[in-house]
Amino acid sequence: MKILHTSDWHLGRTLYGKKRYAEFEAILSWLISTIQQHQVEVLLIAGDIFDTSTPSHRSQELYYRFLYDVSATCCRHILVIAGNHDSPSFLNAPKTLLRALNVHVVGAITESPEDEVITLYDELQTPQAIICAVPYLRDKDIRRVEPGETLEDKHTKLVEGVKSHYQQVCAIAEQKRDDFKSSGYTHVPIVAMGHLFTMGGKTIEGDGVRELYVGSLAHVGKDVFPSSIDYLALGHLHIPQCVSDIQHMRYCGSPIPMGYGEAAQQKKVIIVEFKNRTALIDELDIPCFQKLERISGSLGEILARIEQLKSDKSSAWLEVEYIGNEIVSDLRDKCNEALKGSAMEIRRIKDKRVIDAVMRTMQEEETLDDLNVNEVFERCLEANNISVEESAELISAYNEIVKSLHEEDINAE
């Protein structure tokens, strides 16, 4: 049995206003070809299918068409869990219909942990794997709020909540495996899924990865996952990586760069086979379907790099950062002129001199449009002379409120 592990598609995400549907369509087509080429039987999608809880019609079309196309290949089972960007009710709404295509969807935890334990069979009804399809665990799902809690109390409860949930779900999977063993099926692997931030996880500037829990303390460790798990397929972090260097606990990463910080990163999917429950892991490189290029330097260095890219027939989307000392009032015009005759386009221009000048005068001239919600609250605390000790608790409570607003499932009713 071959399993393909992917996650964090973020269908519908834009890059400084530029729609990226051609990239999404290309990566989904590549996934279908890869499934056929490697004779993949099980596809795991570990959350953040969409970039928002209200995906566009075109994003939905890409998603459903992909599921239909995969169901017509050698792939017998598709398992989808929700990530923190996804709407649980939106993903769950068609789950009964999608079962006809052998697509299992788990949008949110339910009162019964058994709902997250799915046994996969081959055409002869031989058990192939037991999947613990654990979706993104929202704060309200795993922690009971009590008055007077400290930030450390919240952190402890969140970690214990995640650990307890995985223990419950995996205990059910272990019992199923014992039952299969007594029936003569001795090597049925347990594969767990999840969408969370593990301790020591690597991120990149501009990747859009949100902190999942208040205070950013609740990064779970490897010990929250039961030892019975033969492979752990995680989503949320966009860089392919292992959890604490444990080879069978993996993030596959996002399939396309979500920002210029990821531009030079090799994207991957993971194919897993089992030999007597030992996971044999193979990383496959994903082709780059839209080159992103970050150029930083003086005006001369920027224009020279553009000329080099033109000679290479590049069609990259550019982020240009000017860090020279001279004032260049027509920086964008000069860059656009240099791009003439090429397929490249500029998505963003940053002028360090202008940024520095703005930062020096921001206090006097800034408006609400210049600040995010956290900065507005912090300015309120400063204006009211709130002490540092009190501010920490108030900021924590405020972040908890903002977090609850982000997690509200507006599609639920």
Side-chain angles (χ1 to χ4, degrees), residues 354-367:
V354 173
I355 292 171
D356 289 344
V358 169
M359 292 300 291
R360 286 194 296 270
T361 60
M362 182 172 280
Q363 293 288 344
E364 291 78 17
E365 301 177 6
E366 67 191 359
T367 68

Side-chain angles (χ1 to χ4, degrees), residues 1 119-122 124-130 180 185 187-189:
M1 178 186 66
T119 303
L120 306 183
Y121 297 90
D122 65 13
L124 300 176
Q125 291 303 298
T126 301
Q128 290 186 298
I130 303 166
F180 287 135
Y185 304 110
H187 299 297
V188 181

